[in-house]
Amino acid sequence: MKTHTILMPLDMHLHLRDGVMLENVAPLTAYSFSGGIIMPNLVPPVNTLEDVKAYRARIMAAVPNDFFEPYMTLFYRNYDKAFLQSVADEITAIKLYPAGITTNSEGGVSSFDIEEMRETLEAMSDLEIPLCVHGETDGFVMDREAEFMSIYELLAKNFPKLKIIMEHITTKDAVEMLDKYENLYATITVHHLLLTLDDVIGGMMMPHLFCKPIAKRPEDLDALLSVALSAHPKVMFGSDSAPHPQHKKESCGCAAGVFTAPIALQLLCEIFEQYDKLDNLQDFVSDNAQRIYGICPEFKEITLEKRPFVVPEHYSSVVPMYAGEAINWAIASVD
Ligand code: DOR
Ligand code: ZN
Protein backbone atom coordinates (compact mmCIF):
# COMPACT_ATOMS: atom_id res chain seq x y z
CA MET A 1 0.00 0.00 0.00
CA LYS A 2 1.30 3.46 -0.85
CA THR A 3 2.14 5.52 2.23
CA HIS A 4 3.38 9.02 2.93
CA THR A 5 4.84 10.43 6.13
CA ILE A 6 4.62 14.02 7.32
CA LEU A 7 6.59 15.42 10.24
CA MET A 8 5.12 18.03 12.59
CA PRO A 9 2.19 19.19 10.45
CA LEU A 10 1.03 22.69 11.32
CA ASP A 11 -2.30 24.35 10.69
CA MET A 12 -1.51 28.04 10.45
CA HIS A 13 -5.14 29.23 10.50
CA LEU A 14 -7.53 27.39 12.77
CA HIS A 15 -10.85 28.14 14.48
CA LEU A 16 -11.31 26.11 17.67
CA ARG A 17 -14.20 28.12 19.17
CA ASP A 18 -15.00 27.61 22.85
CA GLY A 19 -17.07 25.56 25.29
CA VAL A 20 -18.67 22.37 23.98
CA MET A 21 -17.59 23.11 20.40
CA LEU A 22 -13.95 23.49 21.49
CA GLU A 23 -14.16 20.15 23.28
CA ASN A 24 -15.60 18.56 20.14
CA VAL A 25 -13.21 19.95 17.53
CA ALA A 26 -9.86 20.54 19.28
CA PRO A 27 -9.02 16.83 19.70
CA LEU A 28 -9.57 16.29 15.97
CA THR A 29 -6.81 18.74 15.05
CA ALA A 30 -4.59 17.79 17.98
CA TYR A 31 -4.64 14.17 16.82
CA SER A 32 -2.90 14.83 13.52
CA PHE A 33 -1.27 18.26 13.84
CA SER A 34 1.62 19.42 16.03
CA GLY A 35 0.24 22.89 16.41
CA GLY A 36 -1.90 25.60 14.95
CA ILE A 37 -2.45 29.34 14.88
CA ILE A 38 -5.62 29.81 16.91
CA MET A 39 -7.97 32.48 15.62
CA PRO A 40 -9.32 34.97 18.19
CA ASN A 41 -12.80 35.67 16.78
CA LEU A 42 -14.67 34.48 19.84
CA VAL A 43 -17.57 36.39 21.40
CA PRO A 44 -16.21 38.57 22.95
CA PRO A 45 -12.93 38.54 21.00
CA VAL A 46 -9.61 37.56 22.56
CA ASN A 47 -7.98 40.93 23.27
CA THR A 48 -6.39 40.96 26.70
CA LEU A 49 -3.49 39.06 28.23
CA GLU A 50 -5.95 37.33 30.57
CA ASP A 51 -8.13 36.28 27.60
CA VAL A 52 -5.13 34.75 25.83
CA LYS A 53 -3.94 32.83 28.87
CA ALA A 54 -7.40 31.61 29.82
CA TYR A 55 -8.27 30.55 26.24
CA ARG A 56 -4.95 28.73 25.92
CA ALA A 57 -5.68 26.86 29.16
CA ARG A 58 -9.14 25.86 27.90
CA ILE A 59 -7.60 24.56 24.67
CA MET A 60 -4.99 22.54 26.55
CA ALA A 61 -7.72 21.09 28.77
CA ALA A 62 -9.66 20.04 25.66
CA VAL A 63 -6.71 18.03 24.26
CA PRO A 64 -5.44 16.11 27.28
CA ASN A 65 -4.19 13.10 25.35
CA ASP A 66 -2.20 14.73 22.57
CA PHE A 67 0.79 16.94 22.31
CA PHE A 68 -0.50 20.03 20.56
CA GLU A 69 0.81 23.58 20.63
CA PRO A 70 -1.84 26.29 20.34
CA TYR A 71 -0.08 29.32 18.87
CA MET A 72 -2.25 32.04 20.33
CA THR A 73 -3.36 35.28 18.66
CA LEU A 74 -4.98 38.51 19.74
CA PHE A 75 -7.87 40.16 17.92
CA TYR A 76 -6.46 43.32 16.31
CA ARG A 77 -7.33 46.72 17.62
CA ASN A 78 -5.07 49.70 18.11
CA TYR A 79 -2.97 48.51 21.06
CA ASP A 80 -0.20 50.60 22.62
CA LYS A 81 3.39 49.44 22.74
CA ALA A 82 3.48 48.84 26.49
CA PHE A 83 0.55 46.46 26.22
CA LEU A 84 2.10 44.64 23.28
CA GLN A 85 5.35 44.25 25.20
CA SER A 86 3.45 42.74 28.11
CA VAL A 87 1.66 40.19 25.91
CA ALA A 88 4.40 39.41 23.35
CA ASP A 89 5.59 36.21 25.03
CA GLU A 90 2.07 34.77 25.11
CA ILE A 91 1.11 35.31 21.48
CA THR A 92 2.45 34.26 18.09
CA ALA A 93 0.54 36.78 15.97
CA ILE A 94 -2.28 39.32 15.89
CA LYS A 95 -5.25 38.79 13.60
CA LEU A 96 -6.83 41.73 11.86
CA TYR A 97 -10.44 41.58 10.65
CA PRO A 98 -12.11 44.36 8.72
CA ALA A 99 -15.21 45.22 10.77
CA GLY A 100 -18.21 43.03 10.04
CA ILE A 101 -16.58 41.18 7.16
CA THR A 102 -16.98 37.66 8.54
CA THR A 103 -18.00 35.60 11.61
CA ASN A 104 -17.69 37.58 14.88
CA SER A 105 -15.67 40.40 13.34
CA GLU A 106 -17.93 43.31 14.35
CA GLY A 107 -15.19 44.78 16.55
CA GLY A 108 -12.66 44.80 13.72
CA VAL A 109 -11.02 47.66 11.83
CA SER A 110 -13.49 50.03 10.20
CA SER A 111 -11.05 52.32 8.41
CA PHE A 112 -7.57 51.56 7.25
CA ASP A 113 -6.11 54.89 8.32
CA ILE A 114 -2.39 54.13 8.45
CA GLU A 115 -1.66 56.98 10.87
CA GLU A 116 -4.22 55.65 13.34
CA MET A 117 -2.67 52.20 13.08
CA ARG A 118 0.96 53.32 13.05
CA GLU A 119 1.79 52.97 16.75
CA THR A 120 0.41 49.43 16.92
CA LEU A 121 1.94 48.24 13.66
CA GLU A 122 5.34 49.80 14.41
CA ALA A 123 5.35 48.19 17.83
CA MET A 124 4.42 44.83 16.30
CA SER A 125 7.21 45.28 13.79
CA ASP A 126 9.74 46.08 16.56
CA LEU A 127 8.54 43.19 18.70
CA GLU A 128 8.48 40.86 15.66
CA ILE A 129 4.81 39.99 16.06
CA PRO A 130 3.36 38.99 12.67
CA LEU A 131 0.09 40.50 11.46
CA CYS A 132 -2.43 38.00 10.08
CA VAL A 133 -5.07 39.64 7.91
CA HIS A 134 -8.51 38.66 6.67
CA GLY A 135 -8.14 40.55 3.38
CA GLU A 136 -11.58 41.38 2.05
CA THR A 137 -13.41 44.65 1.41
CA ASP A 138 -17.21 44.95 1.61
CA GLY A 139 -17.43 45.20 -2.19
CA PHE A 140 -18.96 42.78 -4.69
CA VAL A 141 -18.37 39.30 -3.32
CA MET A 142 -16.15 38.04 -6.16
CA ASP A 143 -14.01 41.19 -6.04
CA ARG A 144 -13.56 41.60 -2.29
CA GLU A 145 -10.14 40.01 -2.07
CA ALA A 146 -8.81 41.68 -5.23
CA GLU A 147 -10.04 45.04 -3.92
CA PHE A 148 -8.12 44.48 -0.70
CA MET A 149 -4.78 44.26 -2.54
CA SER A 150 -4.27 48.03 -2.31
CA ILE A 151 -4.58 47.78 1.49
CA TYR A 152 -2.00 44.98 1.59
CA GLU A 153 0.29 47.21 -0.49
CA LEU A 154 -0.23 50.14 1.87
CA LEU A 155 0.57 47.97 4.89
CA ALA A 156 3.55 46.27 3.23
CA LYS A 157 5.10 49.58 2.12
CA ASN A 158 4.53 51.46 5.37
CA PHE A 159 5.76 48.66 7.63
CA PRO A 160 8.47 46.91 5.61
CA LYS A 161 9.78 44.92 8.59
CA LEU A 162 6.34 43.72 9.68
CA LYS A 163 5.54 40.16 8.58
CA ILE A 164 2.08 40.32 7.02
CA ILE A 165 0.21 37.10 6.36
CA MET A 166 -2.51 37.27 3.73
CA GLU A 167 -4.86 34.70 5.23
CA HIS A 168 -6.76 32.08 3.21
CA ILE A 169 -5.99 33.60 -0.18
CA THR A 170 -8.36 32.70 -2.98
CA THR A 171 -7.24 34.70 -6.00
CA LYS A 172 -4.57 35.01 -8.66
CA ASP A 173 -4.25 38.67 -7.54
CA ALA A 174 -3.15 37.61 -4.06
CA VAL A 175 -0.74 35.01 -5.44
CA GLU A 176 0.90 37.70 -7.55
CA MET A 177 1.40 39.92 -4.49
CA LEU A 178 3.70 37.36 -2.89
CA ASP A 179 6.57 38.17 -5.19
CA LYS A 180 5.99 41.93 -5.12
CA TYR A 181 6.63 42.59 -1.42
CA GLU A 182 9.24 40.86 0.66
CA ASN A 183 7.16 41.09 3.84
CA LEU A 184 3.96 39.54 2.44
CA TYR A 185 3.22 35.85 3.06
CA ALA A 186 0.07 33.75 2.68
CA THR A 187 -1.89 30.83 4.00
CA ILE A 188 -3.98 28.63 1.72
CA THR A 189 -6.79 26.30 2.82
CA VAL A 190 -7.33 22.82 1.47
CA HIS A 191 -10.86 23.62 0.31
CA HIS A 192 -9.59 26.50 -1.80
CA LEU A 193 -7.26 23.99 -3.53
CA LEU A 194 -10.31 21.94 -4.51
CA LEU A 195 -13.24 24.26 -5.13
CA THR A 196 -14.43 27.00 -7.41
CA LEU A 197 -17.65 28.99 -7.05
CA ASP A 198 -19.28 26.39 -9.28
CA ASP A 199 -18.88 23.77 -6.58
CA VAL A 200 -20.52 26.05 -4.02
CA ILE A 201 -23.52 27.40 -5.95
CA GLY A 202 -23.20 26.25 -9.57
CA GLY A 203 -25.46 23.23 -9.17
CA MET A 204 -27.21 22.57 -5.89
CA MET A 205 -26.39 25.16 -3.25
CA MET A 206 -23.86 23.54 -0.92
CA PRO A 207 -23.93 25.16 2.53
CA HIS A 208 -21.02 23.11 3.87
CA LEU A 209 -18.77 24.55 1.14
CA PHE A 210 -19.80 28.15 1.82
CA CYS A 211 -17.08 30.21 3.45
CA LYS A 212 -15.49 33.62 3.40
CA PRO A 213 -13.67 34.36 1.24
CA ILE A 214 -15.84 32.41 -1.19
CA ALA A 215 -14.13 30.06 -3.67
CA LYS A 216 -13.46 31.90 -6.92
CA ARG A 217 -12.78 31.18 -10.61
CA PRO A 218 -10.89 28.29 -12.28
CA GLU A 219 -7.92 30.56 -13.05
CA ASP A 220 -7.73 31.50 -9.36
CA LEU A 221 -7.76 27.84 -8.38
CA ASP A 222 -4.91 27.21 -10.85
CA ALA A 223 -2.85 30.05 -9.36
CA LEU A 224 -3.38 28.72 -5.81
CA LEU A 225 -2.46 25.19 -6.89
CA SER A 226 0.71 26.42 -8.56
CA VAL A 227 2.10 28.06 -5.40
CA ALA A 228 0.89 25.35 -3.01
CA LEU A 229 2.09 22.40 -5.07
CA SER A 230 5.49 24.02 -5.62
CA ALA A 231 5.56 24.89 -1.88
CA HIS A 232 6.39 28.50 -2.68
CA PRO A 233 8.58 29.52 0.29
CA LYS A 234 6.14 32.26 1.37
CA VAL A 235 3.08 30.04 1.41
CA MET A 236 1.83 27.89 4.30
CA PHE A 237 -1.08 25.58 4.92
CA GLY A 238 -3.84 27.09 7.06
CA SER A 239 -7.09 25.14 7.04
CA ASP A 240 -9.44 27.93 8.16
CA SER A 241 -11.40 24.97 9.48
CA ALA A 242 -14.43 26.81 10.83
CA PRO A 243 -16.97 24.65 12.64
CA HIS A 244 -20.58 25.76 12.94
CA PRO A 245 -23.40 23.56 14.26
CA GLN A 246 -25.36 21.86 11.50
CA HIS A 247 -28.50 23.95 12.12
CA LYS A 248 -26.51 27.16 11.48
CA LYS A 249 -25.23 25.83 8.15
CA GLU A 250 -28.41 24.19 6.88
CA SER A 251 -30.73 27.10 7.47
CA CYS A 252 -31.86 30.29 5.87
CA GLY A 253 -28.81 32.50 6.39
CA CYS A 254 -26.04 29.89 6.29
CA ALA A 255 -23.02 30.70 8.49
CA ALA A 256 -19.70 30.96 6.63
CA GLY A 257 -17.11 28.27 7.25
CA VAL A 258 -15.95 24.89 5.95
CA PHE A 259 -15.08 22.26 8.54
CA THR A 260 -12.02 20.35 7.34
CA ALA A 261 -9.95 19.72 10.48
CA PRO A 262 -10.32 15.92 10.59
CA ILE A 263 -9.68 15.38 6.85
CA ALA A 264 -7.24 18.15 5.98
CA LEU A 265 -4.05 16.08 5.85
CA GLN A 266 -5.76 13.28 3.95
CA LEU A 267 -7.07 15.71 1.32
CA LEU A 268 -3.69 17.41 1.01
CA CYS A 269 -2.07 14.02 0.34
CA GLU A 270 -4.68 13.34 -2.30
CA ILE A 271 -4.12 16.66 -4.06
CA PHE A 272 -0.31 16.56 -3.91
CA GLU A 273 -0.26 12.94 -5.10
CA GLN A 274 -2.63 13.72 -7.96
CA TYR A 275 -0.14 16.29 -9.28
CA ASP A 276 2.88 14.11 -8.44
CA LYS A 277 4.12 16.67 -5.90
CA LEU A 278 4.04 14.70 -2.65
CA ASP A 279 7.70 15.60 -2.14
CA ASN A 280 6.66 19.24 -1.62
CA LEU A 281 3.94 18.58 0.94
CA GLN A 282 6.28 18.69 3.95
CA ASP A 283 7.32 22.25 3.11
CA PHE A 284 3.74 23.36 2.51
CA VAL A 285 2.31 21.82 5.65
CA SER A 286 5.14 22.48 8.11
CA ASP A 287 8.62 23.59 7.11
CA ASN A 288 7.65 26.89 5.47
CA ALA A 289 5.60 27.84 8.53
CA GLN A 290 8.40 26.91 10.91
CA ARG A 291 10.77 29.18 9.01
CA ILE A 292 8.36 32.09 8.48
CA TYR A 293 7.14 32.18 12.09
CA GLY A 294 10.40 31.02 13.67
CA ILE A 295 8.62 28.23 15.53
CA CYS A 296 9.93 24.82 16.43
CA PRO A 297 7.16 22.31 17.18
CA GLU A 298 7.85 19.13 19.11
CA PHE A 299 8.30 15.93 17.16
CA LYS A 300 5.19 14.28 15.71
CA GLU A 301 5.11 11.87 12.79
CA ILE A 302 1.94 11.20 10.81
CA THR A 303 1.82 8.37 8.31
CA LEU A 304 -0.97 8.34 5.77
CA GLU A 305 -1.88 5.50 3.46
CA LYS A 306 -3.63 5.44 0.14
CA ARG A 307 -6.91 3.65 0.78
CA PRO A 308 -10.52 4.79 0.63
CA PHE A 309 -11.78 6.58 3.74
CA VAL A 310 -15.44 7.46 4.08
CA VAL A 311 -15.76 10.85 5.75
CA PRO A 312 -18.14 10.66 8.74
CA GLU A 313 -21.53 12.35 8.33
CA HIS A 314 -21.01 14.29 11.56
CA TYR A 315 -18.47 15.10 14.19
CA SER A 316 -20.98 15.71 16.96
CA SER A 317 -22.99 18.77 15.84
CA VAL A 318 -20.70 19.62 12.93
CA VAL A 319 -20.89 18.36 9.35
CA PRO A 320 -17.48 18.13 7.68
CA MET A 321 -16.62 18.85 4.08
CA TYR A 322 -17.30 15.77 1.92
CA ALA A 323 -19.50 14.18 4.63
CA GLY A 324 -20.43 10.64 3.62
CA GLU A 325 -18.09 10.66 0.61
CA ALA A 326 -15.01 8.52 0.11
CA ILE A 327 -11.63 10.23 -0.08
CA ASN A 328 -8.49 8.44 -1.22
CA TRP A 329 -6.13 8.76 1.72
CA ALA A 330 -6.46 7.86 5.40
CA ILE A 331 -4.33 8.34 8.50
CA ALA A 332 -2.48 5.11 9.27
CA SER A 333 -0.49 6.07 12.36
CA VAL A 334 0.52 8.95 14.59
CA ASP A 335 3.77 8.83 16.58
O1 DOR B 1 -15.76 31.17 6.37
C1 DOR B 1 -15.24 31.70 7.35
N1 DOR B 1 -15.53 31.30 8.61
N2 DOR B 1 -14.40 32.71 7.16
C2 DOR B 1 -13.91 33.42 8.18
O2 DOR B 1 -13.18 34.34 7.93
C3 DOR B 1 -14.30 33.13 9.57
C4 DOR B 1 -14.76 31.75 9.70
C5 DOR B 1 -15.48 31.51 11.02
O3 DOR B 1 -14.96 31.93 12.06
O4 DOR B 1 -16.54 30.91 10.99
ZN1 ZN C 1 -10.57 32.08 9.59
Side-chain angles (χ1 to χ4, degrees):
M1 190 177 294
K2 189 166 183 178
T3 63
H4 186 74
T5 296
I6 301 172
L7 302 178
M8 288 92 79
L10 295 168
D11 184 344
M12 303 310 283
H13 184 131
L14 178 64
H15 297 273
L16 289 182
R17 316 297 194 208
D18 214 340
V20 173
M21 184 64 93
L22 170 67
E23 284 163 22
N24 174 23
V25 300
L28 300 170
T29 292
Y31 174 64
S32 55
F33 285 85
S34 276
I37 292 271
I38 310 302
M39 290 298 153
N41 58 332
L42 304 184
V43 184
V46 178
N47 58 18
T48 68
L49 179 57
E50 294 67 40
D51 290 346
V52 171
K53 285 184 173 171
Y55 188 30
R56 186 194 161 84
R58 294 197 297 279
I59 294 168
M60 295 313 284
V63 294
N65 302 321
D66 290 289
F67 174 78
F68 178 75
E69 183 62 41
Y71 297 105
M72 303 305 291
T73 65
L74 276 180
F75 190 95
Y76 184 94
R77 56 181 172 76
N78 290 331
Y79 297 108
D80 64 32
K81 186 161 189 178
F83 170 75
L84 290 174
Q85 263 161 341
S86 73
V87 78
D89 287 347
E90 296 291 331
I91 59 168
T92 303
I94 295 182
K95 173 73 184 288
L96 185 156
Y97 293 89
I101 218 68
T102 190
T103 310
N104 304 335
S105 63
E106 291 68 25
V109 171
S110 44
S111 100
F112 284 87
D113 180 331
I114 290 294
E115 292 321 313
E116 275 176 27
M117 302 171 83
R118 189 171 291 282
E119 181 183 356
T120 309
L121 295 176
E122 272 176 1
M124 287 174 64
S125 185
D126 291 348
L127 295 165
E128 299 184 2
I129 303 171
L131 177 73
C132 301
V133 182
H134 183 118
E136 288 194 285
T137 67
D138 60 1
F140 178 67
V141 66
M142 290 295 277
D143 298 335
R144 286 176 191 172
E145 186 172 286
E147 286 175 4
F148 200 87
M149 293 303 129
S150 58
I151 300 176
Y152 279 131
E153 298 207 74
L154 199 63
L155 293 168
K157 280 185 198 157
N158 274 276
F159 307 98
K161 297 251 153 39
L162 177 67
K163 280 191 177 162
I164 301 167
I165 326 291
M166 301 185 286
E167 294 295 335
H168 44 51
I169 60 171
T170 60
T171 56
K172 196 163 166 274
D173 305 74
V175 166
E176 286 166 2
M177 290 292 281
L178 284 168
D179 294 324
K180 283 197 201 153
Y181 294 92
E182 209 186 315
N183 56 334
L184 285 184
Y185 302 82
T187 58
I188 301 180
T189 73
V190 68
H191 50 281
H192 290 121
L193 293 176
L194 290 163
L195 306 174
T196 68
L197 186 65
D198 253 11
D199 299 296
V200 187
I201 56 165
M204 303 270 264
M205 197 185 284
M206 305 302 266
H208 299 290
L209 303 182
F210 171 65
C211 65
K212 293 184 177 178
I214 193 110
K216 304 286 189 317
R217 307 180 64 84
E219 51 270 39
D220 296 306
L221 174 58
D222 289 346
L224 296 174
L225 280 169
S226 78
V227 280
L229 292 168
S230 63
H232 186 297
K234 297 175 83 182
V235 162
M236 306 166 267
F237 173 63
S239 70
D240 198 15
S241 178
H244 292 277
Q246 184 172 10
H247 70 271
K248 293 217 166 150
K249 295 290 290 175
E250 298 175 6
S251 64
C252 179
C254 162
V258 180
F259 182 58
T260 52
I263 54 165
L265 281 183
Q266 299 88 316
L267 289 177
L268 286 171
C269 264
E270 185 163 336
I271 298 165
F272 277 66
E273 190 215 7
Q274 184 192 337
Y275 291 95
D276 201 16
K277 294 287 183 200
L278 270 176
D279 287 350
N280 290 342
L281 183 53
Q282 180 64 35
D283 283 343
F284 179 62
V285 81
S286 185
D287 295 10
N288 285 356
Q290 290 186 47
R291 197 182 55 251
I292 292 166
Y293 274 93
I295 55 179
C296 196
E298 271 188 40
F299 188 80
K300 198 167 198 172
E301 183 180 86
I302 317 296
T303 299
L304 295 104
E305 58 193 17
K306 191 175 181 189
R307 66 169 162 83
F309 169 71
V310 178
V311 179
E313 297 279 356
H314 299 270
Y315 289 88
S316 188
S317 65
V318 187
V319 178
M321 183 180 181
Y322 293 157
E325 293 179 41
I327 59 177
N328 290 331
W329 284 76
I331 292 179
S333 67
V334 178
D335 294 301

